[in-house]
Amino acid sequence: MYRKHTCGELRAAHIGQETTLAGWVQTVRKFGAITFVDLRDRYGITQLVFGERMGERLDAEPLGREFVLQIHGSVIERSNKNPNLPTGDIEVTVSDYTILNRSAVPPFTIQDDTDGGDDLRMRYRYLDLRRSAVRRNLELRYAVNRSARNYLHENHFMDIETPFLIKSTPEGARDFVVPSRMNPGQFYALPQSPQTFKQLLMVSGYDRYYQIVKCFRDEDLRADRQPEFTQIDCEMSFVEQDDILRMFEGLVKRIFLDVKGIDYAEPVARMTWEEAMWRYGNDKPDIRFEMMLCNLKKPDTVFTDRTDHRGLIADAGFNVFDNAETVLAIAVPGASEYTRKQTDEITDWVKRPQIGMQGMVTIKCNADGTFKSSVDKFYPEERLKAIAHACRAVAGDLILILAGAEERTRKAISELRLEMGQRLGLRRKDEFKLLWVLDFPLFEYSEDDNRWVARHHPFTSPKPDHIPVMIGNDPSIPDPSAYLSHPYAQIKANAYDMVLNGNEIGGGSIRIFQRELQEKMFAALGMSEEESIHKFGFLLGAFEYGAPPHGGIAFGFDRLCSILGGSESIRDFIAFPKNNSGRDVMLDAPSSIDEKQLEELQIGLK
Amino acid sequence: MYRKHTCGELRAAHIGQETTLAGWVQTVRKFGAITFVDLRDRYGITQLVFGERMGERLDAEPLGREFVLQIHGSVIERSNKNPNLPTGDIEVTVSDYTILNRSAVPPFTIQDDTDGGDDLRMRYRYLDLRRSAVRRNLELRYAVNRSARNYLHENHFMDIETPFLIKSTPEGARDFVVPSRMNPGQFYALPQSPQTFKQLLMVSGYDRYYQIVKCFRDEDLRADRQPEFTQIDCEMSFVEQDDILRMFEGLVKRIFLDVKGIDYAEPVARMTWEEAMWRYGNDKPDIRFEMMLCNLKKPDTVFTDRTDHRGLIADAGFNVFDNAETVLAIAVPGASEYTRKQTDEITDWVKRPQIGMQGMVTIKCNADGTFKSSVDKFYPEERLKAIAHACRAVAGDLILILAGAEERTRKAISELRLEMGQRLGLRRKDEFKLLWVLDFPLFEYSEDDNRWVARHHPFTSPKPDHIPVMIGNDPSIPDPSAYLSHPYAQIKANAYDMVLNGNEIGGGSIRIFQRELQEKMFAALGMSEEESIHKFGFLLGAFEYGAPPHGGIAFGFDRLCSILGGSESIRDFIAFPKNNSGRDVMLDAPSSIDEKQLEELQIGLK
């Protein structure tokens, strides 16, 4: 070893000992004949003192930032102790040193608040990775990895590797494909997830499987999407939904404890998908704060079991509400004193193209019990009071109301709720609230193809009660305009998402394990029998030989780490991420390949 | 949960308890009105008793092999205990049961000695995986995984994920490539190993890295090669060779202890590459047995520091030896009484095309101290005795001698040694002998291109003493016939292989960490400056900013598991392996893809 101790190891107890250290020059400070150097490695920083005797050598060849040094010296007590540094009680007087490697001046400073822009730091990722902010992220990632593995191991899960060179069966997202040289004209695909393999492992009796595994999706990249990403992928046999929920809230609680020191003792909240959409306008509600939706008006075709407050706004001659499919409100706590300028600014915010509303109605619930609204002339105070009551607003609140088409308006009020929560500081980074969202619809309707698509994936089971509905009905949709009244529109999935602070961190389902039901599912998704055999014959085959009831879940590992680390960006938690065009700018990949390689693969460029 | 206990859990202490079990029907045995069923899951087998009351239902719908059952019943003491089964003290009398799923008759028996052929078992891999022989292999694999992770964690290694979609830089093996839809005409490559990334992580100061990671090589498959395989990949900073050897023999010893219960207390043997080639004819000698080579004659151009015994065989008028470049012998212990038929059979064995010898000379060292040879007429007894002495043969041994061209003959005697070791039962599956092979040549000579190729890879450092030889000499080879006398032929690498029972299970090196030396290496391998910048500019760049001394190792995880499991085949230790044509016959991959996919990728088939 080039060292006897690391740069984070020496304490007062080492005073008087000889040591050898190796690391990087963080800073060089000269005070007359004495030079102080902070030497850095992964474990910490140690202050070195180069005495007068070294002056000549240092003058002849000054030490620069990021030089790699090996030093020999003695540990002494610091006169000027630094309580912020674990090694702050000591320093090392250098008796001899070797420059192991020199460094050019880095293109940006290796500090938490670096002067390097995004592009520069991506290009010199190996230098960006030196910054302690980034190192802490990767350390957190490893801690989550370790914690998850320990919990799953203790619960009898086995890590079983599934293949990366598989068959292309694009459903939803595009596959990355890999031309096969040994089978010209044929291609492997990289897995979008190990879904079918983990189900086969259940058929094979492995009972509990997990893997922390790379997955690949060739999608048009949005901000903070990566073409390769990591899942904590799990599957269990002989379970019902509740078994899965308990097992995996246990996993996340264990990660909180191991990684953040948080004892998440309270039960994890559970909410149906319908309740989430009704109360939050969103299937991954942030429940760190209330500010729930008041459904003043909704179309008859949705939330058929629920009652809105349409009477409160009807017959007032206010065309905007009368003509709107949907009218939704939130009560913003303590915001009744917002100025006209402030409410105008919020109105502008909801009119942005990303939100797409035409306008916004406000009702101020004044502290003195009076009400003031932007639609006073349509609604007398008594009616405003009734609306405020329906919204559960109290004196001091500001009610914001959006109106328009159902889907867009619900999405908009959900965004507005999050925005107001953010502005009021209700979304605290150090507060963590878990939520299970349950009972998703099994199908979504695709207008383009006038057919059903799987909301989760084609292997998700309906609720046991809904299996007869699925088996007993023809999936075809004779009248596209009435798709909502097709029996399939009411089928709920035996599926669940885990939501953390408004982010979906995991999702899964109880799977179909009967061949007949799986065939019906493929048919419902518009697959011919030939196509389903071609793509998934191995799975249908496996279901012939004693498939057990099973279900599972996959967590988005990158996202989970970024939320635990208090960051918006998953990129900060990936050692070598790609940019928004899917490029690795450090490697300069993808890139052109040799003509010889193309020839061997028997493919050509168009 | 569908069960209260697993099928491997119930013991005498549970007698009298009610239970619910779920699993697969292993066997059904009817005795009059009583039916016995062995119910199986991953954890074990439990005997069920279906009493008279169930008879009618069982007759109406008989239980078949591999049916999935859930049963309720009481645990009772077995009258006829089975000491070979952990649950053998009890059985469960069934009070009620549910058939969770039926099974067609499997195409082969789900037993250790199955009647299924290789192809059938690959096609129905999900059924083959049910066999306990295969399950034990995957359990062993997971145990090795877990043990390695624990050891590396305790030694401050961090698991850091490196990317799978990287840049194609084919060196040696072919890359699998992935066309980029978003960057038409450009390709990613799948990593042959995370080599350059782990080096960058050292440059970034991560100090100790590991990963258990899939790697990809598009090679023509030989038996027992897989296009995707798994490595335990490790790298450390501020280390010299000896630090790495100690750290990673510790890893393998820990795996022996955790997985096999073997306390490998003895030091791991170390041998130079030259010694291994001289004594065993092989760079991965099986040292479970001796039977070392006697170098009777070798060319002057190789092993220049070593002395052969050419005098013992010269000047006898035996043309075969006189004309041969190389003559090598082994003394097979206790084989002097082999019959003519037996020695003829061995002669035939060395004449097989895979070995390629013209013939074999034998010397019997008889128990009475006399000698008998197939070349008696050239060598009188006194000379035979001297040869036997050189071979360290004792009375009762049989000396086998091969002669021919250096490379082929050394390889042949090495194979013969292994074969004789096998025949004599000297290669015991339950004996494990580790060996470090050190000081490999840095370069091999490529006759095709008349240039040097890296024996390990282009990032391996020469021995510190040999750096000046490398820097100070022109790598070009003016006289191809004299390549052995080029200074580069003598340069030794700072590299090491770990060998277990004659198999290379891991290999690594101290890396180059200076830009100048790395550039010289690329030049020595025939790369132009442009080419080296195009392919490895990021690494050369990284070396400008304070790269620390570092080195590492990668273990072949599949192979390591197969040896620990006592098997010849890595396929038995991979959940979903590919066949020798690189096909997954269960999935039927690779396969053709849609025209639409090709269009989106802007590639065409030739």
Side-chain angles (χ1 to χ4, degrees):
Chain A
M1 291 290 293
Y2 282 75
R3 68 190 174 210
K4 191 169 162 195
H5 297 100
T6 71
C7 295
E9 198 172 350
L10 295 172
R11 297 287 182 277
H14 296 93
I15 288 169
Q17 292 184 20
E18 292 296 303
T19 186
T20 304
L21 302 179
W24 285 263
V25 172
Q26 176 83 6
T27 56
V28 181
R29 298 183 309 279
K30 240 188 127 164
F31 290 102
I34 310 282
T35 301
F36 291 93
V37 167
D38 279 350
L39 195 70
R40 184 195 74 229
D41 66 12
R42 177 182 126 196
Y43 310 96
I45 283 179
T46 300
Q47 178 163 293
L48 310 178
V49 188
F50 291 75
E52 213 163 334
R53 202 165 56 79
M54 307 273 171
E56 205 169 320
R57 196 173 152 199
L58 288 174
D59 285 343
E61 182 177 37
L63 300 175
R65 276 202 284 142
E66 303 305 318
F67 273 39
V68 186
L69 280 194
Q70 181 189 41
I71 67 102
H72 307 283
S74 342
V75 184
I76 59 167
E77 189 171 1
R78 252 207 232 191
S79 53
N80 192 6
K81 294 198 175 52
N82 181 347
N84 300 318
L85 213 60
T87 63
D89 286 348
I90 60 92
E91 59 194 11
V92 176
T93 52
V94 175
S95 58
D96 195 10
Y97 71 95
T98 310
I99 296 176
L100 296 173
N101 217 340
R102 287 169 184 73
S103 174
V105 178
F108 51 85
T109 55
I110 311 293
Q111 286 172 340
D112 279 12
D113 49 344
T114 177
D115 56 0
D118 227 39
D119 288 350
L120 202 62
R121 286 188 292 116
M122 287 284 273
R123 205 166 125 213
Y124 294 92
R125 182 65 176 171
Y126 46 85
L127 294 180
D128 201 30
L129 285 168
R130 272 189 200 164
R131 296 193 305 120
S132 57
V134 183
R135 201 195 61 235
R136 278 193 300 268
N137 291 347
L138 294 189
E139 283 171 349
L140 179 139
R141 185 179 177 109
Y142 177 48
V144 176
N145 178 322
R146 182 85 191 149
S147 170
R149 287 184 188 278
N150 285 342
Y151 177 85
L152 292 167
H153 178 78
E154 289 158 21
N155 284 284
H156 309 295
F157 286 80
M158 261 174 84
D159 181 345
I160 303 176
E161 292 165 68
T162 53
F164 278 71
L165 297 172
I166 65 166
K167 180 168 173 156
S168 186
T169 55
E171 286 298 309
R174 271 184 218 89
D175 285 329
F176 281 106
V177 296
V178 182
S180 166
R181 182 180 55 86
M182 291 175 65
N183 305 274
Q186 300 195 328
F187 293 76
Y188 301 100
L190 300 178
Q192 296 188 24
S193 89
Q195 181 62 33
T196 50
F197 294 100
K198 65 178 176 173
Q199 292 192 241
L200 290 181
L201 288 171
M202 295 304 102
V203 174
S204 301
Y206 284 79
D207 204 65
R208 296 184 177 193
Y209 144 95
Y210 87 97
Q211 211 181 170
I212 299 184
V213 63
K214 273 282 172 75
C215 302
F216 305 85
R217 273 177 212 174
D218 184 13
E219 292 178 282
D220 296 324
L221 299 171
R222 296 201 301 252
D224 219 30
R225 274 251 188 101
Q226 292 278 320
E228 52 176 307
F229 55 96
T230 305
Q231 284 187 352
I232 307 178
D233 193 51
C234 309
E235 197 81 2
M236 301 172 77
S237 289
F238 299 117
V239 288
E240 289 161 307
Q241 177 173 291
D242 197 56
D243 303 312
I244 303 248
L245 302 190
R246 277 184 292 115
M247 179 63 75
F248 292 101
E249 64 194 45
L251 169 65
V252 177
K253 285 180 175 186
R254 169 68 169 269
I255 291 171
F256 275 125
L257 190 64
D258 288 350
V259 176
K260 305 288 291 184
I262 294 172
D263 181 10
Y264 197 105
E266 64 193 291
V268 173
R270 298 182 184 190
M271 190 184 294
T272 65
W273 172 83
E274 190 175 278
E275 180 77 8
M277 295 304 291
W278 181 255
R279 288 282 169 222
Y280 297 90
N282 194 308
D283 63 3
K284 45 182 192 217
D286 185 345
I287 58 167
R288 280 175 296 182
F289 65 107
E290 297 262 326
M291 216 191 286
M292 282 186 278
L293 275 50
C294 176
N295 284 262
L296 292 170
K297 187 179 172 188
K298 58 124 190 131
D300 291 333
T301 48
V302 298
F303 302 106
T304 46
D305 294 342
R306 297 183 183 249
T307 312
D308 59 22
H309 297 277
R310 62 182 74 180
L312 298 180
I313 55 170
D315 306 321
F318 184 45
N319 283 335
V320 173
F321 285 179
D322 291 346
N323 299 335
E325 206 177 27
T326 294
V327 182
L328 295 167
I330 53 172
V332 182
S336 69
E337 312 237 323
Y338 272 24
T339 61
R340 175 66 186 264
K341 195 177 155 203
Q342 282 177 296
T343 56
D344 281 354
E345 192 270 318
I346 299 171
T347 305
D348 289 344
W349 190 90
V350 301
K351 285 171 146 179
R352 299 183 319 155
Q354 301 95 308
I355 307 295
M357 288 288 104
Q358 302 287 328
M360 185 177 74
V361 168
T362 60
I363 302 175
K364 290 184 174 180
C365 310
N366 295 320
D368 61 5
T370 62
F371 295 89
K372 174 87 188 111
S373 171
S374 58
V375 290
D376 277 349
K377 61 175 168 179
F378 299 103
Y379 297 96
E381 180 131 3
E382 211 43 43
R383 293 196 73 169
L384 295 178
K385 189 175 177 177
I387 294 171
H389 182 71
C391 294
R392 298 185 202 186
V394 297
D397 286 0
L398 171 69
I399 297 174
L400 306 178
I401 310 179
L402 301 179
E406 162 67 17
E407 208 168 320
R408 170 177 295 192
T409 308
R410 199 166 288 277
K411 189 162 186 304
I413 196 96
S414 162
E415 295 291 331
L416 180 60
R417 173 182 173 273
L418 291 173
E419 174 68 18
M420 296 314 296
Q422 193 71 42
R423 291 185 186 199
L424 296 178
L426 303 174
R427 304 176 70 188
R428 291 176 48 195
K429 272 191 187 178
D430 57 353
E431 190 185 6
F432 295 97
K433 283 280 189 192
L434 291 165
L435 169 71
W436 285 113
V437 178
L438 308 171
D439 301 352
F440 286 83
L442 185 62
F443 295 107
E444 279 174 349
Y445 175 68
S446 161
E447 213 170 85
D448 291 351
D449 304 321
N450 186 40
R451 66 165 177 91
W452 303 107
V453 294
R455 195 177 197 290
H456 185 212
H457 58 49
F459 313 106
T460 296
S461 177
K463 291 273 161 204
D465 293 353
H466 294 178
I467 292 177
V469 181
M470 190 163 148
I471 294 279
N473 284 284
D474 183 339
S476 64
I477 306 156
D479 177 4
S481 71
Y483 77 91
L484 276 170
S485 53
H486 190 288
Y488 272 39
Q490 303 312 317
I491 298 177
K492 292 287 190 290
N494 224 339
Y496 31 79
D497 275 1
M498 184 174 258
V499 175
L500 174 57
N501 292 0
N503 299 278
E504 183 205 322
I505 56 165
S509 62
I510 300 294
R511 323 299 185 186
I512 296 171
F513 69 107
Q514 311 91 333
R515 177 161 183 155
E516 183 196 8
L517 189 59
Q518 188 65 66
E519 285 175 333
K520 186 83 184 180
M521 171 60 89
F522 289 144
L525 304 177
M527 240 186 258
S528 71
E529 207 180 312
E530 294 73 44
E531 197 183 346
S532 65
I533 293 287
H534 174 71
K535 285 183 171 172
F536 299 110
F538 60 96
L539 189 68
L540 293 171
F543 285 175
E544 301 258 14
Y545 295 101
H550 62 286
I553 196 167
F555 289 89
F557 186 53
D558 309 295
R559 172 67 58 206
L560 176 60
C561 292
S562 81
I563 299 171
L564 292 173
S567 164
E568 298 288 306
S569 163
I570 63 171
R571 239 201 247 167
D572 297 344
F573 292 78
I574 296 173
F576 298 99
K578 297 193 171 47
N579 73 7
N580 285 341
S581 320
R583 293 198 71 82
D584 184 321
V585 293
M586 178 188 75
L587 297 180
D588 189 27
S591 61
S592 58
I593 59 174
D594 295 347
E595 198 54 45
K596 188 182 151 211
Q597 286 176 280
L598 291 173
E599 261 166 44
E600 284 187 329
L601 297 170
Q602 302 195 29
I603 59 174
L605 306 179
K606 274 190 185 155
Chain B
M1 290 291 292
Y2 282 75
R3 68 189 174 212
K4 191 170 161 192
H5 296 100
T6 71
C7 295
E9 199 172 350
L10 295 172
R11 298 287 182 277
H14 296 92
I15 288 168
Q17 292 185 18
E18 294 295 303
T19 187
T20 304
L21 302 178
W24 285 263
V25 172
Q26 176 83 6
T27 56
V28 181
R29 298 182 309 278
K30 239 184 129 168
F31 291 102
I34 311 282
T35 301
F36 291 93
V37 168
D38 279 349
L39 195 70
R40 184 196 73 226
D41 67 10
R42 179 181 125 196
Y43 310 96
I45 284 180
T46 300
Q47 178 163 293
L48 309 178
V49 188
F50 291 75
E52 213 163 331
R53 200 166 57 79
M54 306 274 171
E56 205 169 318
R57 197 175 150 197
L58 288 174
D59 285 343
E61 184 176 37
L63 300 175
R65 276 203 282 142
E66 303 305 317
F67 273 39
V68 186
L69 280 195
Q70 182 189 42
I71 66 101
H72 307 284
S74 338
V75 185
I76 60 167
E77 189 171 359
R78 253 207 231 190
S79 53
N80 193 7
K81 296 198 173 51
N82 181 347
N84 299 318
L85 213 60
T87 62
D89 285 349
I90 59 92
E91 59 194 9
V92 176
T93 53
V94 175
S95 58
D96 196 10
Y97 70 95
T98 310
I99 296 175
L100 296 173
N101 219 340
R102 287 169 183 75
S103 174
V105 177
F108 50 85
T109 54
I110 311 293
Q111 287 172 340
D112 280 13
D113 49 345
T114 177
D115 56 359
D118 226 39
D119 288 350
L120 202 61
R121 287 189 291 115
M122 287 285 272
R123 202 163 129 217
Y124 294 91
R125 182 66 176 171
Y126 46 83
L127 294 180
D128 202 30
L129 285 169
R130 273 190 199 162
R131 296 193 304 120
S132 57
V134 183
R135 201 195 60 236
R136 277 193 300 268
N137 291 347
L138 295 188
E139 283 171 349
L140 180 139
R141 186 181 176 107
Y142 176 47
V144 176
N145 177 322
R146 182 84 192 148
S147 171
R149 286 184 189 278
N150 285 342
Y151 177 85
L152 292 166
H153 179 77
E154 289 157 22
N155 284 284
H156 308 295
F157 286 80
M158 262 175 84
D159 181 346
I160 303 177
E161 292 165 67
T162 53
F164 279 72
L165 296 173
I166 66 165
K167 180 168 173 156
S168 186
T169 54
E171 286 298 310
R174 273 186 216 88
D175 285 329
F176 281 106
V177 296
V178 182
S180 166
R181 182 181 54 85
M182 291 176 64
N183 305 273
Q186 300 194 329
F187 292 77
Y188 301 100
L190 299 179
Q192 296 188 24
S193 89
Q195 181 62 34
T196 50
F197 294 100
K198 65 177 177 174
Q199 292 192 242
L200 290 180
L201 287 171
M202 296 304 103
V203 174
S204 301
Y206 284 78
D207 204 65
R208 295 182 178 194
Y209 144 95
Y210 86 97
Q211 214 181 169
I212 299 184
V213 64
K214 274 280 173 76
C215 302
F216 305 85
R217 272 176 213 175
D218 184 12
E219 292 178 282
D220 295 323
L221 298 170
R222 296 201 301 252
D224 219 31
R225 275 252 187 103
Q226 291 279 320
E228 52 177 307
F229 54 96
T230 305
Q231 283 186 352
I232 306 177
D233 192 51
C234 308
E235 197 81 4
M236 300 171 78
S237 289
F238 299 117
V239 288
E240 289 162 308
Q241 176 172 292
D242 198 56
D243 303 313
I244 303 248
L245 303 191
R246 276 185 291 115
M247 178 63 73
F248 291 101
E249 63 193 46
L251 169 64
V252 177
K253 286 180 176 188
R254 170 68 169 270
I255 291 171
F256 275 124
L257 190 63
D258 289 350
V259 177
K260 305 290 290 183
I262 294 171
D263 181 11
Y264 197 105
E266 63 192 291
V268 173
R270 298 182 183 189
M271 189 184 293
T272 63
W273 172 83
E274 191 176 277
E275 180 78 8
M277 294 304 291
W278 181 255
R279 289 280 169 224
Y280 297 90
N282 194 309
D283 62 5
K284 46 182 192 219
D286 184 345
I287 58 166
R288 280 175 296 182
F289 65 107
E290 297 261 326
M291 216 192 285
M292 282 187 280
L293 275 52
C294 176
N295 283 262
L296 291 171
K297 186 178 172 190
K298 58 120 189 141
D300 292 331
T301 47
V302 296
F303 302 105
T304 45
D305 293 343
R306 295 183 184 251
T307 310
D308 60 22
H309 298 278
R310 63 183 71 179
L312 298 181
I313 55 171
D315 305 321
F318 183 45
N319 282 336
V320 173
F321 285 177
D322 291 345
N323 298 337
E325 207 178 26
T326 295
V327 182
L328 296 167
I330 53 172
V332 182
S336 68
E337 312 239 319
Y338 272 22
T339 61
R340 176 67 186 264
K341 196 177 154 202
Q342 281 176 298
T343 56
D344 281 354
E345 193 269 321
I346 300 171
T347 305
D348 288 344
W349 191 90
V350 302
K351 284 170 145 180
R352 299 184 318 156
Q354 301 95 307
I355 308 295
M357 289 287 102
Q358 302 285 329
M360 185 178 75
V361 168
T362 59
I363 302 175
K364 290 185 176 182
C365 310
N366 295 320
D368 62 4
T370 61
F371 296 88
K372 174 90 187 109
S373 171
S374 58
V375 288
D376 278 351
K377 61 176 169 180
F378 300 104
Y379 298 98
E381 180 132 1
E382 212 40 46
R383 292 195 75 169
L384 295 178
K385 188 173 178 180
I387 294 171
H389 182 73
C391 294
R392 297 187 204 185
V394 296
D397 288 359
L398 171 68
I399 297 174
L400 306 178
I401 309 178
L402 300 180
E406 161 67 17
E407 209 168 318
R408 169 177 297 193
T409 308
R410 199 166 287 278
K411 189 160 185 306
I413 196 96
S414 162
E415 296 291 331
L416 180 60
R417 173 182 173 272
L418 291 173
E419 174 67 17
M420 296 314 296
Q422 194 70 39
R423 292 184 186 200
L424 296 179
L426 303 175
R427 305 176 69 189
R428 293 176 46 194
K429 274 191 184 176
D430 56 354
E431 189 186 7
F432 296 97
K433 283 281 188 190
L434 290 165
L435 169 72
W436 285 113
V437 178
L438 307 171
D439 301 352
F440 286 83
L442 185 61
F443 295 107
E444 279 174 348
Y445 175 68
S446 161
E447 211 170 270
D448 291 351
D449 304 321
N450 186 40
R451 66 165 176 91
W452 304 107
V453 293
R455 196 179 195 289
H456 184 214
H457 58 49
F459 313 106
T460 295
S461 177
K463 291 273 161 206
D465 294 354
H466 294 178
I467 292 177
V469 180
M470 190 165 149
I471 294 280
N473 284 284
D474 183 339
S476 64
I477 306 156
D479 177 4
S481 71
Y483 78 90
L484 275 171
S485 54
H486 191 287
Y488 273 39
Q490 303 312 316
I491 298 177
K492 291 286 190 288
N494 223 339
Y496 31 81
D497 275 0
M498 184 174 258
V499 174
L500 174 57
N501 292 0
N503 299 278
E504 182 206 323
I505 57 165
S509 62
I510 299 296
R511 322 300 184 186
I512 296 171
F513 68 106
Q514 311 92 331
R515 178 163 182 150
E516 183 196 8
L517 189 59
Q518 188 65 66
E519 285 175 332
K520 187 82 182 180
M521 171 59 87
F522 288 144
L525 303 179
M527 240 186 261
S528 72
E529 205 179 316
E530 294 74 43
E531 197 182 347
S532 66
I533 293 287
H534 174 71
K535 286 183 171 171
F536 299 109
F538 60 95
L539 189 68
L540 293 170
F543 286 175
E544 300 259 12
Y545 295 101
H550 62 285
I553 196 167
F555 290 89
F557 186 53
D558 309 294
R559 172 67 56 208
L560 175 60
C561 292
S562 82
I563 299 170
L564 292 173
S567 165
E568 298 287 306
S569 163
I570 63 170
R571 241 201 246 167
D572 296 344
F573 292 78
I574 296 173
F576 298 100
K578 296 190 173 47
N579 72 9
N580 285 342
S581 320
R583 293 198 71 82
D584 184 322
V585 293
M586 179 189 73
L587 297 180
D588 189 28
S591 60
S592 58
I593 59 174
D594 295 347
E595 198 53 46
K596 191 184 148 206
Q597 286 176 279
L598 291 173
E599 261 166 44
E600 285 188 328
L601 297 170
Q602 303 195 30
I603 59 175
L605 305 179
K606 274 189 186 155

